[in-house]
Amino acid sequence: MAPQDWKEVEAVLGYPYGRVRLRADDHVITLVIERGKGLRYVVAVYIDGVIEWGKTMRPEVDAVERKFWRCRRVFLFGQKERANMAAMAKKRGLPAEIKASYARQAEAGFEMLDPTFTSGKAACRHLRKTCAQVERLPDYEEAPAVEPAQ
């Protein structure tokens, strides 16, 4: 897509309940502005018309969703606790097993995929970075031609 097309997509995604359909790497991607938590609006990314929430937790390494959704790292402990545990892992005089335990706890967390973006600009930037070929589709499906019955 040309830079002007990306600007048009970002403009459509700048208003509540805006919607854009794209074909990106042989998948139909639908970007929709939806209500998020509270009074915020987010851009939800539907892959082939659905968001499979089961694939957001513990994603596979070669999952298709990695290309279109945000990858986030979620830690089990807050930043302050992790800093304390990292400091304890470096403390002198502790047995090696306890130091290793503190180091593991300081890095304990998991990876998840988030199908929402905070803005249309962020979603477009992510798609430009990860997809090889993107084209805009019409926002509606053509109804199949029906022959009149006689």
Side-chain angles (χ1 to χ4, degrees):
M1 284 181 21
Q4 182 62 31
D5 295 334
W6 285 111
K7 287 182 182 179
E8 290 174 9
V9 168
E10 290 174 11
V12 170
L13 295 176
Y15 296 100
Y17 307 107
R19 179 177 174 216
V20 175
R21 290 180 59 229
L22 305 171
R23 180 176 305 281
D25 297 338
D26 298 329
H27 292 280
V28 176
I29 306 300
T30 308
L31 304 173
V32 181
I33 302 292
E34 295 180 348
R35 288 284 300 269
K37 188 175 181 182
L39 297 176
R40 295 181 185 257
Y41 287 99
V42 295
V43 179
V45 179
Y46 290 85
I47 302 171
D48 296 325
V50 295
I51 293 178
E52 294 183 30
W53 290 99
K55 293 185 177 183
T56 60
M57 303 299 287
R58 303 186 195 279
E60 298 172 8
V61 177
D62 58 346
V64 172
E65 290 81 10
R66 285 186 180 277
K67 187 178 286 190
F68 306 114
W69 293 346
R70 277 191 309 152
C71 184
R72 296 180 58 195
R73 176 101 173 129
V74 179
F75 293 99
L76 297 180
F77 298 102
Q79 186 176 2
K80 189 174 182 180
E81 290 92 358
R82 286 187 286 129
N84 288 339
M85 289 178 202
M88 291 296 289
K90 295 177 183 175
K91 194 171 185 179
R92 293 172 52 186
L94 289 177
E97 299 86 23
I98 294 176
K99 283 185 176 183
S101 174
Y102 278 125
R104 278 194 314 272
Q105 289 177 2
E107 294 299 318
F110 59 94
E111 183 180 63
M112 69 176 280
L113 296 177
D114 189 2
T116 62
F117 289 87
T118 57
S119 68
K121 190 172 188 176
C124 290
R125 188 179 326 119
H126 179 80
L127 289 176
R128 270 184 264 161
K129 193 179 347 175
T130 59
C131 297
Q133 187 176 24
V134 180
E135 66 178 276
R136 188 168 180 187
L137 298 175
D139 290 339
Y140 57 88
E141 288 290 328
E142 293 287 333
V146 179
E147 295 182 15
Q150 294 185 10

